[in-house]
Amino acid sequence: ALEKLLKSAFPTDEISSVPQGARGADVLQRVRNAGGQECGTIIWESKNTKLWQKGWIGKLKRDQRRIRAELGAIVSTALPKGLSHLGQVDGVWVTDFPSAIGLAMSLRTTLIEVARIALAARSKDEKVERLELLYTYITGSQFRQRIEAVADTVREMKAALEAEKRTIQKRWEERERHILEFINHFRDMYGDLREFAGAALAKVRSLELPSP
């Protein structure tokens, strides 16, 4: 589900799932900019359990180092105590599923921007380490606030969409009920007329009750 969600949201990125049973996280997202240049990798781990486990953070960090991914994130139905929707735990981003796309958008934008800055710096013969630049930015309060703002907006949009869907569904059900009531009332009236007029009233097949 996470892989399909990311592929739908970011069709230009290379998103692949790690085969079940193989070492590593669940999904790798290789971010590409508008020109098709690779800007970095996000490693994703998804958890659908009732309880949070501290060991997940260490495992993701090891997987991140092994494949040399710039960023790592855990999407989980169960979050650490004191964490609401999303946040950082020991340098790893942790989020619930409704906030996952908002987090992915922010992480992806950051990788593209850092790659652009690093490329510009190299062209000026300045020795700027890309990972150090990235680490300094993503561990700052400004980046955390930006991600939280994006995730909040995505959650609000999703909640508004769900509310709209419920309202439309309710309207449909109400209209269907009115149509059925109209048909039943009209059929009853037709039955009364048939009883009074008998064979003199022409039959309307769609209003006739089926034979026993």
Side-chain angles (χ1 to χ4, degrees):
L2 177 61
E3 180 188 2
K4 290 180 180 179
L5 196 66
L6 292 172
K7 283 184 176 180
S8 176
F10 313 109
T12 59
D13 291 353
E14 180 186 341
I15 298 170
S16 57
S17 61
V18 177
Q20 190 173 5
R23 289 183 59 193
D26 294 322
V27 179
L28 300 180
Q29 180 180 3
R30 292 180 171 84
V31 176
R32 302 185 188 279
N33 61 17
Q37 297 171 324
E38 189 168 326
C39 300
T41 302
I42 306 172
I43 182 172
W44 294 90
E45 184 82 23
S46 62
K47 301 293 182 183
N48 185 17
T49 60
K50 294 182 178 180
L51 297 176
W52 171 264
Q53 297 184 21
K54 294 181 179 180
W56 293 344
I57 298 293
K59 178 184 178 300
L60 184 68
K61 283 185 173 181
R62 291 191 296 271
D63 292 338
Q64 184 178 344
R65 288 193 296 267
R66 184 171 55 82
I67 67 170
R68 298 180 181 179
E70 283 79 3
L71 296 171
I74 296 176
V75 185
S76 176
T77 53
L79 299 178
K81 187 177 180 180
L83 186 66
S84 176
H85 300 302
L86 73 97
Q88 275 190 321
V89 180
D90 294 335
V92 173
W93 282 97
V94 179
T95 178
D96 56 16
F97 279 89
S99 305
I101 288 299
L103 175 61
M105 290 171 62
S106 300
L107 296 180
R108 184 178 182 277
T109 301
T110 300
L111 286 176
I112 293 175
E113 182 62 17
V114 169
R116 185 189 67 79
I117 294 173
L119 180 62
R122 284 196 297 270
S123 66
K124 297 178 182 178
D125 295 328
E126 297 177 7
K127 294 184 178 180
V128 177
E129 290 292 336
R130 179 178 169 189
L131 291 180
E132 290 181 4
L133 182 64
L134 177 64
Y135 182 79
T136 301
Y137 180 64
I138 66 174
T139 54
S141 60
Q142 182 183 9
F143 179 62
R144 177 179 55 80
Q145 291 168 0
R146 289 185 184 278
I147 284 189
E148 289 175 351
V150 171
D152 288 343
T153 303
V154 172
R155 278 198 305 273
E156 291 172 3
M157 291 170 61
K158 182 175 176 59
L161 178 62
E162 292 297 329
E164 185 176 351
K165 287 168 61 177
R166 288 193 297 270
T167 300
I168 293 175
Q169 183 66 31
K170 186 177 180 180
R171 289 177 181 172
W172 285 347
E173 292 174 355
E174 187 174 354
R175 288 178 182 177
E176 185 178 22
R177 179 174 60 82
H178 287 159
I179 291 172
L180 291 176
E181 288 179 356
F182 173 80
I183 292 174
N184 289 331
H185 291 328
F186 198 79
R187 180 174 286 160
D188 291 341
M189 182 181 68
Y190 173 76
D192 293 340
L193 292 174
R194 285 280 295 170
E195 184 176 350
F196 293 136
L201 181 66
K203 288 187 177 182
V204 180
R205 183 175 301 178
S206 61
L207 295 178
E208 292 285 341
L209 293 176
S211 300

